[in-house]
Amino acid sequence: MKKFQFSLEKVLEVKEIEEKIIQKDLMTVQREILDNENLILEIQEKISQERINLSIINHKGAGSAEIMIHYKYLDSLQKRIDLIKNELKSLYQKENLLKLELTHKSQEKKSLERLKEIKFEEYKKDFNKSQQIILDEISIQNFRIRQESHK
């Protein structure tokens, strides 16, 4: 009997490759999210430090031009945070879509793997059945040979 071959093996391989690609894309997006979240924290730390500096400058009695420069810098940092937060929103959406897609691909792959298991069990059953038929034939032949030799 020929060895077991799953007719949808190539499809299963494609599903596995697609799943790995989606996993890689998801990891990339999650890395971007983490990087942006860390960047926001860094900028918030800069804002806190700049406010401390601004407070010190106010107590020293600095000129209004210098104070305006610091306020504009604070404003630019806040705008940068807002831009990063908008980018994060789109990254979160992309992450959710990739998670859904990954779930779908994983389900497809598991269905094919389950089908492969079922087909393999059928193959083993058929193989065992054919082996049993051969063994039965051999036993019958041996029995006949013994019967003829006893005559």
Side-chain angles (χ1 to χ4, degrees):
M1 185 172 232
K2 64 180 181 171
K3 80 176 205 179
F4 174 72
Q5 281 187 317
F6 183 53
S7 60
L8 298 173
E9 188 68 37
K10 293 293 182 190
V11 175
L12 180 58
E13 289 173 9
V14 167
K15 295 298 179 189
E16 288 173 348
I17 290 170
E18 288 175 344
E19 183 182 40
K20 287 178 183 176
I21 289 171
I22 294 170
Q23 286 174 340
K24 184 180 172 240
D25 291 346
L26 181 60
M27 287 174 52
T28 302
V29 168
Q30 288 173 333
R31 181 76 220 157
E32 286 180 47
I33 288 172
L34 187 61
D35 289 345
N36 281 338
E37 288 173 342
N38 287 335
L39 185 58
I40 287 175
L41 291 175
E42 289 174 18
I43 294 172
Q44 287 174 337
E45 182 63 33
K46 285 181 183 179
I47 289 174
S48 296
Q49 192 62 40
E50 188 61 28
R51 285 189 177 142
I52 292 170
N53 290 342
L54 190 59
S55 176
I56 292 171
I57 290 172
N58 273 336
H59 285 346
K60 287 184 178 179
S64 63
E66 186 178 349
I67 292 174
M68 284 302 292
I69 290 172
H70 287 281
Y71 275 116
K72 286 190 184 252
Y73 179 62
L74 281 172
D75 189 45
S76 71
L77 290 175
Q78 189 58 50
K79 286 180 181 176
R80 193 165 169 212
I81 286 177
D82 293 341
L83 287 173
I84 295 169
K85 284 183 178 179
N86 284 336
E87 187 178 337
L88 273 173
K89 284 180 186 177
S90 68
L91 287 172
Y92 287 136
Q93 289 173 345
K94 189 174 182 180
E95 178 188 35
N96 288 333
L97 289 174
L98 286 170
K99 283 180 179 179
L100 288 173
E101 194 176 342
L102 180 62
T103 301
H104 180 68
K105 291 295 177 188
S106 294
Q107 288 173 345
E108 287 178 355
K109 186 184 90 167
K110 286 183 184 194
S111 295
L112 285 172
E113 286 172 341
R114 180 65 184 131
L115 181 61
K116 182 179 179 178
E117 289 173 12
I118 290 170
K119 294 294 183 181
F120 183 68
E121 290 300 319
E122 288 175 6
Y123 167 80
K124 285 188 342 187
K125 185 178 175 183
D126 289 344
F127 180 77
N128 288 338
K129 187 176 180 180
S130 68
Q131 291 297 315
Q132 187 61 48
I133 289 172
I134 291 170
L135 288 175
D136 288 347
E137 288 176 9
I138 292 172
S139 294
I140 290 172
Q141 287 177 355
N142 283 338
F143 179 76
R144 286 183 182 159
I145 291 172
R146 281 191 211 133
Q147 287 289 1
E148 288 179 10
S149 67
H150 285 333
K151 285 186 179 180

